Amino acid sequence: MGFAVTPEFLLVFSVMAPFMGALVAPYLGSWLKARAGYPLILCFVPTLFLIPYAPAARSNVPLEAGFDWVSAIGLRVDFRADGFSLMFSLIVAAIGILILAYAAAYLGKTERHGRFYSYLLSFGGAMLGLVLADNLIALFAFWELTSISSFLLIGFWGSRKASQDGAEKALVITALGGLALLVAVILLSIAGGTQQISELDLATLRSSPLFIPALVLLLIAAFTKSAQLPFHLWLPTAMEAPTPVSAFLHSATMVKAGVILVAKFGFLLDWGVFSLVIMYVGLATMFWGSYLALRQNDLKALLAYSTVSQLGILMSLYGSGHAFAATAHLVNHAAFKAALFMVVGIIDHETGSRDISKLSGLRRKLPLTFIVALPAALSMAGLPIFGGFISKELFYEGMVHEGFLPILIAVTGSIMTFAYSLRFLKVFFGPFRCENPNVHEASYRLWLPAAPLSLAVIAFGILKINPLKGLTFKSDTLAVWFTGLAAPSFGYEAEHLYLWHGFNLALGLSVLTWVLGVLLHLGRDRFHRVQQALTPAWNNNTIYYKSLAGLEHFSSWFTHKTQGASFATHLRIIVATFGLIGATVLWRYWPAQLTGVPLAFWLVALLILADVVGVLSATNRLSAIIFAGLAGVASTLLFVLLSAPDLALTQLLIETVTIILFLSVFRFLPRLSTYLRPRSLTLLDGLISLGVAATLFTTLVAVQTPIADRIKDFYLDYSKSIGGGYNVVNVILVDFRGYDTMGEITVLSIVAISVFALLKIAVKRAKAESQDDQIS
């Protein structure tokens, strides 16, 4: 019988394949070095095999698959390839393939190739899992994996201070969002009665008091991950990662995670004030990111702030319900931003610089790189005939419907976007200027992975495609194929996209954007002086660093104030907190099981309690040892009352051996000294002890109602047939848990030998000291 690849298996495998590749990558990296990226491309190929299921997803028949994770508590990992999830998964996989090919040419010979590819594949796999997850817990798990893997990638060049700072900043801010998401998914699962995202009912959620807190926490998570104000500061410093990482991170992976979250939970967030908050936060981020991008002289920094701005556009569109425009721009941005970061990597690789003020006329030395960069940059600027023009027009149309202030912010931000796009292209024009005179065109292995993305931004604007008949001029544009695939997820009708809609308000605003954008570019020096004059002494970065410094100062002060106490005081604080929990629970929920406890058990409990009081009241060690032994012997009576004489005998033997061990070292211990302390402290310790007892007691009572079937029934049923004995306890120890018992015996034997050796050394030392005393 052959193995049949089912659609469900393919869906799960498309997520797991990058993680499997991450395990193999270190070995391939040590063997093939940078070229290990080529065979590792196969890790993203399974996702492309999901394309045949696109028509079903477009018909709102998503592919679903999953498996049990912890079946005892109903925890599953479920994946659902609806139209939107499938569309973005294809983008992640396609760009991931190109990034791996680019990295194979970009990485130097001395890099840690295996580690880099392992991190990168984990990053891609986490993003695929996040997009396709249909389970709240799985969504959170993949969300956190993107944070961890991005931290490793941003800090890949760990010897650089800037890399360390960028990685730390990204982790701190996104971890804050991760905590918010964790609480949000717990609240949503409680309020909705299910962990399946596709099964969440809006009416049920809105009727719950947990609904509003869950939405607030969802927004915090989305804003931190997608670098929205005021959490945008981590994204520009993430550019310290190697360029292949920046191209992947800024186009199709982590920075889009918050946008994906808003899109997935749009049916919840499209409600009242939450829509307005998302839209205006997105617009403010778009404006501020464009404003800061104009200040940058580093090509990579310019693109980083550009990403902040473009994410603001996506957030504002999804937040205000313009999902069609948002999805169109999502596709366009992924293509042109990945291509532009690759171009910056080529420029840096060939010239040794990314400084705009030191570069010009590069089109003569890097003609093929210029051909790749031009469509991508013009698409970012929003010029026809490129896909960015179409999505910008849709953005304008959406904001016009939202009112005067939104469209004013949108146009102002777009003017600055146009200006910084021209500033990016400035390095290719004018007379040649570069500190490295020996600049030459990069290897085809560097510019070729960026070329398909540059072609895509053209294809989104003019090329038309029919998924069933191939290329044609009578069907939807390529952008509409992608946006149409996502249509069932948002409930919109996929419209036809045209470069020419006639004379309308959106076109007039576009012309205004181009004219003012050119003027702003030409007057950039004057505008830069205005920016310098308006720059405050503080910003988000200074607030961040001062907050970290303040937190470190507070922790040092708190540690000094609290850790200066005695060891006994520390123990009291820890144990009192532990005891307070149990005492509170016991006070509020007195277990009903206590009403049926027989009198004999109460008498044994009182006997044990009396022995414990005797230990505490003992004035010498011999009395303390005797009372401790009596407490252990009294506990054996519990086993007798429970008809377990073998356990009672075992307990009695253990207590006997323990007492003998105590007595064997008794004469080597120092005399008991009287510990003088206030009576109030003694009373406090007694109350703490009672609280700890209450905690242990409530814990034992709680486990009387287990989360799964007890295993005792299995042992009772199969003790004779499998173990060959009627004494269930003995069969468990010798047969069912034989290896465990052998391990325990081994540990006890090692301890016994160690104790014997220590006693022998102590005896020899005592004899030697005695002989020295006699000689002296």
Side-chain angles (χ1 to χ4, degrees), residues 88 106 111 208 338 373 476 577 598 602 667 702:
F88 199 80
Y106 181 86
E111 300 289 359
S208 171
D476 297 331
T577 305
W602 286 107
R667 68 190 187 91

Side-chain angles (χ1 to χ4, degrees), residues 44 55 68 100 107 116 122 152 175 189 210 321 330 385 408 446 497 512 520 534 543 601 609 615 639 662 674 709 741:
F44 287 116
D68 289 330
L100 285 171
L107 294 177
F116 174 84
S122 299
L152 296 172
S189 61
L210 303 177
L330 183 76
I385 54 172
L408 177 63
L446 276 173
L497 299 175
L512 178 65
L520 180 59
L534 294 176
I543 294 173
F601 287 91
L609 182 60
V615 173
F639 295 116
F662 271 131
T674 304
D709 296 334
T741 303

Side-chain angles (χ1 to χ4, degrees), residues 356 359-361 421-430 521:
I356 299 175
L359 298 172
S360 65
S421 299
L422 295 182
R423 180 166 168 76
F424 179 90
L425 288 173
K426 179 184 175 183
V427 299
F428 290 101
F429 293 94
H521 174 66

Side-chain angles (χ1 to χ4, degrees), residues 403-441:
F404 175 75
L405 183 58
I407 190 60
L408 177 63
I409 299 173
V411 172
T412 307
S414 296
I415 291 170
M416 291 186 286
T417 298
F418 192 88
Y420 70 63
S421 299
L422 295 182
R423 180 166 168 76
F424 179 90
L425 288 173
K426 179 184 175 183
V427 299
F428 290 101
F429 293 94
F432 175 74
R433 186 172 75 253
C434 179
E435 292 180 353
N436 178 14
N438 300 318
V439 177
H440 58 81
E441 183 58 81

Side-chain angles (χ1 to χ4, degrees), residues 411 415-416 418-419 511-522:
V411 172
I415 291 170
M416 291 186 286
F418 192 88
V511 174
L512 178 65
T513 300
W514 302 333
V515 173
L516 295 181
V518 170
L519 293 176
L520 180 59
H521 174 66
L522 295 175

Side-chain angles (χ1 to χ4, degrees), residues 462-600:
I462 61 173
L463 187 63
K464 299 189 175 185
I465 185 170
N466 186 321
L468 300 178
K469 298 180 180 180
L471 295 180
T472 177
F473 291 95
K474 298 181 180 179
S475 186
D476 297 331
T477 63
L478 183 60
V480 172
W481 187 84
F482 275 98
T483 55
L485 183 57
S489 302
F490 302 110
Y492 62 73
E493 291 293 332
E495 306 171 17
H496 290 273
L497 299 175
Y498 300 101
L499 288 171
W500 176 252
H501 292 272
F503 293 102
N504 55 22
L505 181 58
L507 180 61
L509 293 174
S510 293
V511 174
L512 178 65
T513 300
W514 302 333
V515 173
L516 295 181
V518 170
L519 293 176
L520 180 59
H521 174 66
L522 295 175
R524 190 233 168 225
D525 292 338
R526 182 177 300 175
F527 184 74
H528 182 66
R529 287 193 294 271
V530 173
Q531 285 182 309
Q532 293 286 80
L534 294 176
T535 301
W538 55 271
N539 54 40
N540 278 31
N541 273 302
T542 57
I543 294 173
Y544 169 80
Y545 291 120
K546 286 186 179 298
S547 299
L548 276 188
L551 186 61
E552 291 177 3
H553 177 74
F554 171 76
S555 61
S556 299
W557 171 85
F558 186 79
T559 301
H560 175 72
K561 292 295 183 182
T562 57
Q563 301 302 313
S566 65
F567 180 66
T569 302
H570 285 302
L571 284 181
R572 286 191 186 97
I573 295 172
I574 296 170
V575 176
T577 305
F578 179 71
L580 187 62
I581 297 171
T584 304
V585 174
L586 186 62
W587 177 264
R588 294 189 60 184
Y589 307 102
W590 183 263
Q593 295 94 320
L594 293 181
T595 56
V597 177
L599 178 61

